[in-house]
Amino acid sequence: QVQLVESGGGLVQAGGSLRLSCAASGRTFSGYTMAWFRQAPGKERRFVAAINWSGVNPDYRDSVKGRFTISRDNAKNTVYLRMNSLKPEDTAVYYCAAKAGMVPTTTQNEYDIWGQGTQVTVSS
């Protein structure tokens, strides 16, 4: 079973940048599609970005396209989320998630392994 640990969250001013990391341990990272979701206070958890094992054609929610970049280093069993031009509405707990298979999806129920989350706060 893959276990996920997120890091890299924090407090940043609007317009700033952060890079989140999600380190996978346990069984092989190979073949897993990885994703980031986020949950703002009082709101449902929502899809942010996803990337399959090959790293080709990552998927993003519209509101982060052009600002966020998801990537992975399979040799290090780590997936990243680079967040630029941050806005106060990006404030949320960010979760890393994994699912077996090569097809990224935006549906959180299809991801069966989750990290504990890391807080990102963007001040105006």
Side-chain angles (χ1 to χ4, degrees), residues 8-67:
L11 173 64
V12 64
Q13 289 187 333
S17 299
L18 283 174
R19 189 181 77 160
L20 306 183
S21 299
C22 173
S25 62
R27 61 169 293 177
T28 180
F29 192 54
S30 174
Y32 278 81
T33 287
M34 305 297 296
W36 289 93
F37 289 78
R38 68 187 182 188
Q39 187 168 20
K43 295 187 177 181
E44 295 182 350
R45 190 159 55 185
R46 295 183 177 178
F47 171 79
V48 176
I51 188 169
N52 66 12
W53 168 254
S54 69
V56 176
N57 295 327
D59 193 16
Y60 299 92
R61 70 177 298 107
D62 287 345
S63 62
V64 308
K65 285 181 180 177
R67 300 189 298 123

Coordinates of all heavy atoms in Angstrom, one line a residue, residues 8-67:
G8 N 5.3 21.5 2.4 CA 5.5 22.7 1.6 C 4.5 23.7 1.7 O 4.6 24.8 1.1
G9 N 3.4 23.5 2.5 CA 2.4 24.5 2.7 C 2.9 25.6 3.6 O 4.0 25.5 4.1
G10 N 2.1 26.7 3.7 CA 2.5 27.8 4.5 C 1.7 29.0 4.2 O 0.7 29.0 3.5
L11 N 2.2 30.1 4.7 CA 1.5 31.4 4.5 C 2.3 32.2 3.5 O 3.5 32.4 3.6 CB 1.5 32.2 5.9 CG 1.0 33.6 5.9 CD1 -0.5 33.7 5.4 CD2 1.2 34.3 7.2
V12 N 1.6 32.8 2.5 CA 2.3 33.6 1.5 C 1.4 34.7 1.1 O 0.1 34.6 1.2 CB 2.6 32.7 0.3 CG1 1.3 32.1 -0.4 CG2 3.4 33.4 -0.7
Q13 N 2.0 35.8 0.7 CA 1.2 36.9 0.2 C 0.6 36.7 -1.2 O 1.2 35.9 -2.0 CB 2.0 38.2 0.2 CG 2.4 38.7 1.6 CD 3.1 40.1 1.5 OE1 3.7 40.4 0.6 NE2 2.9 40.9 2.6
A14 N -0.5 37.3 -1.5 CA -1.0 37.2 -2.9 C 0.0 37.6 -3.9 O 0.8 38.6 -3.7 CB -2.2 38.2 -3.0
G15 N 0.1 36.8 -5.0 CA 1.1 37.0 -6.0 C 2.3 36.2 -5.8 O 3.2 36.1 -6.7
G16 N 2.4 35.6 -4.6 CA 3.6 34.8 -4.3 C 3.5 33.4 -4.8 O 2.5 33.0 -5.5
S17 N 4.5 32.5 -4.5 CA 4.6 31.2 -5.0 C 4.9 30.2 -3.8 O 5.5 30.6 -2.8 CB 5.7 31.1 -6.0 OG 5.5 31.9 -7.1
L18 N 4.5 29.0 -4.0 CA 4.8 27.9 -3.1 C 4.9 26.6 -4.0 O 4.3 26.5 -5.1 CB 3.7 27.6 -2.1 CG 3.6 28.6 -0.9 CD1 2.3 28.2 -0.1 CD2 4.8 28.5 0.0
R19 N 5.7 25.7 -3.5 CA 5.8 24.4 -4.1 C 5.5 23.3 -3.1 O 6.1 23.2 -2.1 CB 7.2 24.1 -4.7 CG 7.2 22.8 -5.5 CD 8.5 22.5 -6.1 NE 9.4 21.9 -5.1 CZ 10.5 21.2 -5.5 NH1 10.8 20.9 -6.7 NH2 11.3 20.7 -4.5
L20 N 4.4 22.6 -3.3 CA 4.0 21.5 -2.5 C 4.7 20.2 -3.0 O 4.9 20.0 -4.2 CB 2.5 21.3 -2.5 CG 1.7 22.5 -2.1 CD1 0.2 22.1 -2.1 CD2 2.1 23.1 -0.8
S21 N 5.0 19.3 -2.0 CA 5.6 18.0 -2.4 C 4.7 17.0 -1.7 O 4.2 17.2 -0.7 CB 7.0 17.9 -1.8 OG 7.9 18.9 -2.4
C22 N 4.7 15.8 -2.4 CA 4.0 14.7 -1.8 C 4.9 13.5 -2.0 O 5.1 13.0 -3.2 CB 2.7 14.5 -2.6 SG 1.8 12.9 -2.1
A23 N 5.4 13.0 -0.9 CA 6.3 11.8 -1.0 C 5.5 10.5 -0.8 O 4.8 10.4 0.2 CB 7.4 12.0 0.1
A24 N 5.7 9.6 -1.6 CA 5.1 8.3 -1.5 C 6.0 7.2 -1.0 O 7.2 7.2 -1.4 CB 4.6 7.8 -2.9
S25 N 5.5 6.4 -0.1 CA 6.3 5.3 0.5 C 5.5 4.1 0.5 O 4.3 4.1 0.3 CB 6.8 5.7 1.9 OG 5.7 5.9 2.7
G26 N 6.1 3.0 0.8 CA 5.4 1.7 0.8 C 5.7 0.9 -0.5 O 6.8 0.9 -0.9
R27 N 4.6 0.4 -1.0 CA 4.9 -0.3 -2.3 C 5.2 0.6 -3.4 O 5.2 1.8 -3.3 CB 3.6 -1.2 -2.6 CG 2.4 -0.4 -2.8 CD 1.3 -1.3 -3.4 NE 1.6 -1.8 -4.7 CZ 0.9 -2.6 -5.4 NH1 -0.2 -3.1 -4.9 NH2 1.2 -3.0 -6.6
T28 N 5.5 0.0 -4.6 CA 5.9 0.8 -5.7 C 5.0 1.9 -6.1 O 3.8 1.8 -6.1 CB 6.2 -0.1 -6.9 OG1 6.6 0.7 -8.0 CG2 4.9 -0.9 -7.3
F29 N 5.6 3.0 -6.5 CA 4.9 4.2 -7.0 C 4.5 4.0 -8.4 O 3.7 4.7 -9.0 CB 5.9 5.4 -6.8 CG 5.4 6.7 -7.0 CD1 4.3 7.2 -6.3 CD2 6.0 7.6 -7.9 CE1 3.9 8.5 -6.4 CE2 5.6 8.9 -8.1 CZ 4.5 9.3 -7.3
S30 N 5.1 3.0 -9.0 CA 4.9 2.7 -10.4 C 3.4 2.5 -10.8 O 2.7 1.8 -10.1 CB 5.7 1.5 -10.8 OG 5.5 1.2 -12.2
G31 N 3.0 3.1 -11.9 CA 1.7 2.8 -12.4 C 0.6 3.6 -11.7 O -0.6 3.5 -12.1
Y32 N 0.9 4.4 -10.7 CA -0.1 5.2 -10.0 C -0.3 6.6 -10.7 O 0.6 7.3 -11.0 CB 0.2 5.4 -8.6 CG -0.1 4.3 -7.7 CD1 0.7 3.1 -7.6 CD2 -1.3 4.3 -6.9 CE1 0.4 2.1 -6.8 CE2 -1.6 3.2 -6.1 CZ -0.7 2.1 -6.0 OH -1.0 1.0 -5.2
T33 N -1.6 7.0 -10.8 CA -1.9 8.3 -11.2 C -2.0 9.1 -9.9 O -2.6 8.7 -8.9 CB -3.2 8.4 -11.9 OG1 -3.0 7.9 -13.3 CG2 -3.8 9.8 -12.0
M34 N -1.4 10.3 -9.9 CA -1.4 11.2 -8.7 C -2.2 12.4 -8.9 O -2.2 12.9 -10.1 CB 0.1 11.5 -8.4 CG 1.0 10.3 -8.2 SD 0.5 9.3 -6.9 CE 0.8 10.4 -5.5
A35 N -2.7 13.0 -7.9 CA -3.5 14.2 -8.0 C -3.4 15.0 -6.8 O -3.0 14.6 -5.7 CB -5.0 13.8 -8.2
W36 N -3.8 16.3 -6.9 CA -3.9 17.2 -5.8 C -5.4 17.7 -5.8 O -6.0 18.0 -6.8 CB -3.0 18.4 -6.0 CG -1.5 18.1 -5.8 CD1 -0.6 17.8 -6.8 CD2 -0.8 18.1 -4.6 NE1 0.6 17.6 -6.2 CE2 0.5 17.8 -4.9 CE3 -1.2 18.3 -3.2 CZ2 1.5 17.7 -3.9 CZ3 -0.2 18.3 -2.3 CH2 1.1 17.9 -2.6
F37 N -5.9 17.7 -4.6 CA -7.2 18.3 -4.3 C -7.0 19.3 -3.2 O -6.0 19.4 -2.5 CB -8.2 17.2 -3.8 CG -8.6 16.2 -4.8 CD1 -7.8 15.2 -5.3 CD2 -9.9 16.3 -5.4 CE1 -8.2 14.3 -6.2 CE2 -10.3 15.4 -6.4 CZ -9.4 14.4 -6.8
R38 N -8.0 20.1 -3.1 CA -8.0 21.1 -2.0 C -9.4 21.3 -1.4 O -10.4 21.2 -2.0 CB -7.4 22.5 -2.5 CG -8.3 23.2 -3.5 CD -7.6 24.4 -4.0 NE -8.4 25.2 -4.9 CZ -8.0 26.3 -5.7 NH1 -6.7 26.6 -5.6 NH2 -8.8 26.9 -6.4
Q39 N -9.4 21.7 -0.1 CA -10.6 22.0 0.6 C -10.5 23.3 1.4 O -9.7 23.4 2.3 CB -10.9 20.8 1.6 CG -12.3 21.0 2.2 CD -12.7 19.7 2.9 OE1 -11.9 18.8 3.3 NE2 -14.0 19.5 3.2
A40 N -11.3 24.2 0.9 CA -11.3 25.5 1.6 C -12.3 25.4 2.8 O -13.2 24.6 2.8 CB -11.8 26.6 0.6
P41 N -12.2 26.3 3.8 CA -13.0 26.3 4.9 C -14.5 26.4 4.5 O -14.9 27.3 3.7 CB -12.6 27.5 5.7 CG -11.2 27.8 5.3 CD -11.1 27.4 3.9
G42 N -15.3 25.4 5.0 CA -16.7 25.4 4.7 C -17.1 25.0 3.4 O -18.3 25.0 3.0
K43 N -16.2 24.5 2.6 CA -16.5 24.0 1.3 C -16.1 22.6 1.1 O -15.3 22.0 1.8 CB -15.7 24.9 0.2 CG -16.2 26.4 0.2 CD -15.6 27.1 -0.9 CE -16.1 28.6 -0.9 NZ -15.5 29.3 -2.0
E44 N -16.6 22.0 0.0 CA -16.2 20.6 -0.3 C -14.8 20.5 -0.9 O -14.3 21.5 -1.5 CB -17.2 20.0 -1.4 CG -18.6 19.9 -0.9 CD -19.6 19.3 -1.9 OE1 -19.1 19.2 -3.1 OE2 -20.7 19.0 -1.6
R45 N -14.2 19.4 -0.8 CA -12.9 19.1 -1.4 C -13.1 19.1 -2.9 O -14.0 18.4 -3.4 CB -12.3 17.8 -0.8 CG -10.9 17.6 -1.2 CD -10.2 16.6 -0.3 NE -10.9 15.4 -0.2 CZ -10.5 14.4 0.6 NH1 -9.5 14.6 1.5 NH2 -11.2 13.2 0.6
R46 N -12.1 19.7 -3.6 CA -12.2 19.9 -5.0 C -10.9 19.5 -5.7 O -9.8 19.7 -5.2 CB -12.7 21.3 -5.4 CG -14.0 21.7 -4.9 CD -14.4 23.0 -5.4 NE -15.8 23.4 -5.0 CZ -16.4 24.5 -5.2 NH1 -15.7 25.5 -5.9 NH2 -17.6 24.7 -4.9
F47 N -11.1 19.0 -6.9 CA -9.9 18.7 -7.8 C -9.1 19.9 -8.1 O -9.6 21.0 -8.4 CB -10.5 18.0 -9.0 CG -9.4 17.8 -10.1 CD1 -8.5 16.7 -10.0 CD2 -9.3 18.6 -11.2 CE1 -7.6 16.5 -10.9 CE2 -8.4 18.4 -12.1 CZ -7.5 17.3 -12.0
V48 N -7.8 19.7 -8.1 CA -6.9 20.8 -8.5 C -6.1 20.4 -9.8 O -6.1 21.1 -10.8 CB -5.9 21.2 -7.4 CG1 -4.9 22.2 -7.9 CG2 -6.7 21.7 -6.2
A49 N -5.4 19.2 -9.7 CA -4.6 18.8 -10.8 C -4.3 17.3 -10.7 O -4.3 16.7 -9.6 CB -3.3 19.6 -10.8
A50 N -4.0 16.7 -11.8 CA -3.7 15.2 -11.8 C -2.6 15.0 -12.9 O -2.6 15.6 -13.9 CB -4.9 14.4 -12.0
I51 N -1.9 13.9 -12.6 CA -0.8 13.5 -13.6 C -0.6 12.0 -13.5 O -0.7 11.4 -12.5 CB 0.5 14.2 -13.2 CG1 1.6 14.0 -14.3 CG2 1.0 13.8 -11.8 CD1 2.8 14.9 -14.1
N52 N -0.5 11.4 -14.7 CA -0.3 9.9 -14.7 C 1.1 9.6 -14.6 O 2.0 10.4 -14.5 CB -1.1 9.3 -15.9 CG -0.4 9.7 -17.2 OD1 0.7 10.3 -17.3 ND2 -1.1 9.4 -18.3
W53 N 1.4 8.3 -14.7 CA 2.8 7.8 -14.5 C 3.7 8.4 -15.5 O 4.9 8.7 -15.2 CB 2.8 6.3 -14.6 CG 4.1 5.6 -14.7 CD1 4.7 5.1 -15.8 CD2 5.1 5.5 -13.7 NE1 6.0 4.7 -15.5 CE2 6.2 4.9 -14.2 CE3 5.1 5.9 -12.3 CZ2 7.4 4.6 -13.5 CZ3 6.2 5.6 -11.6 CH2 7.3 5.0 -12.2
S54 N 3.3 8.6 -16.8 CA 4.1 9.1 -17.8 C 4.4 10.6 -17.7 O 5.3 11.1 -18.3 CB 3.5 8.7 -19.2 OG 2.4 9.5 -19.4
G55 N 3.5 11.3 -17.0 CA 3.6 12.7 -16.9 C 3.1 13.5 -18.1 O 3.2 14.7 -18.2
V56 N 2.5 12.7 -19.1 CA 2.0 13.4 -20.3 C 0.6 13.9 -20.1 O -0.2 13.3 -19.4 CB 2.0 12.4 -21.5 CG1 1.4 13.0 -22.7 CG2 3.4 11.9 -21.7
N57 N 0.3 15.1 -20.6 CA -1.0 15.7 -20.6 C -1.7 15.7 -19.2 O -2.7 15.2 -18.9 CB -2.0 14.9 -21.5 CG -1.6 15.1 -22.9 OD1 -1.1 16.1 -23.3 ND2 -1.8 14.0 -23.7
P58 N -1.0 16.4 -18.2 CA -1.7 16.6 -16.9 C -3.0 17.4 -17.1 O -3.2 18.1 -18.0 CB -0.6 17.4 -16.1 CG 0.2 18.1 -17.1 CD 0.3 17.2 -18.3
D59 N -3.8 17.2 -16.1 CA -5.1 17.9 -16.1 C -5.2 18.9 -14.9 O -4.6 18.6 -13.9 CB -6.2 16.8 -15.9 CG -7.6 17.3 -16.2 OD1 -7.7 18.4 -16.9 OD2 -8.6 16.6 -15.9
Y60 N -5.9 20.0 -15.2 CA -6.0 21.0 -14.2 C -7.4 21.5 -14.1 O -8.2 21.6 -15.1 CB -5.1 22.2 -14.5 CG -3.6 21.9 -14.6 CD1 -3.0 21.6 -15.8 CD2 -2.9 22.0 -13.4 CE1 -1.7 21.3 -15.8 CE2 -1.5 21.7 -13.5 CZ -0.9 21.4 -14.7 OH 0.4 21.1 -14.7
R61 N -7.8 22.0 -12.9 CA -9.1 22.7 -12.9 C -8.9 24.1 -13.5 O -7.8 24.6 -13.5 CB -9.6 22.9 -11.5 CG -8.9 23.8 -10.6 CD -9.5 23.9 -9.2 NE -10.8 24.4 -9.2 CZ -11.9 23.7 -9.0 NH1 -11.8 22.4 -8.8 NH2 -13.1 24.3 -9.1
D62 N -9.9 24.6 -14.1 CA -9.8 25.9 -14.9 C -9.2 27.0 -14.1 O -8.4 27.8 -14.7 CB -11.2 26.3 -15.5 CG -11.6 25.4 -16.6 OD1 -10.8 24.6 -17.1 OD2 -12.8 25.4 -16.9
S63 N -9.5 27.2 -12.9 CA -9.1 28.3 -12.1 C -7.6 28.4 -11.8 O -7.1 29.4 -11.4 CB -9.9 28.4 -10.8 OG -9.7 27.3 -10.0
V64 N -6.9 27.2 -12.0 CA -5.5 27.2 -11.7 C -4.6 27.1 -13.0 O -3.4 27.1 -12.9 CB -5.1 26.1 -10.7 CG1 -6.0 26.2 -9.5 CG2 -5.2 24.7 -11.3
K65 N -5.3 26.9 -14.1 CA -4.5 26.7 -15.4 C -3.7 28.0 -15.6 O -4.1 29.1 -15.5 CB -5.5 26.5 -16.5 CG -6.1 25.1 -16.6 CD -7.0 24.9 -17.7 CE -7.6 23.5 -17.8 NZ -8.6 23.3 -18.9
G66 N -2.4 27.7 -16.0 CA -1.5 28.8 -16.3 C -0.8 29.3 -15.0 O 0.2 30.1 -15.1
R67 N -1.3 28.9 -13.8 CA -0.6 29.3 -12.6 C 0.0 28.2 -11.8 O 1.0 28.3 -11.2 CB -1.7 30.0 -11.7 CG -2.3 31.3 -12.3 CD -3.1 32.0 -11.2 NE -4.2 31.2 -10.7 CZ -4.4 30.9 -9.4 NH1 -3.6 31.3 -8.5 NH2 -5.5 30.2 -9.1

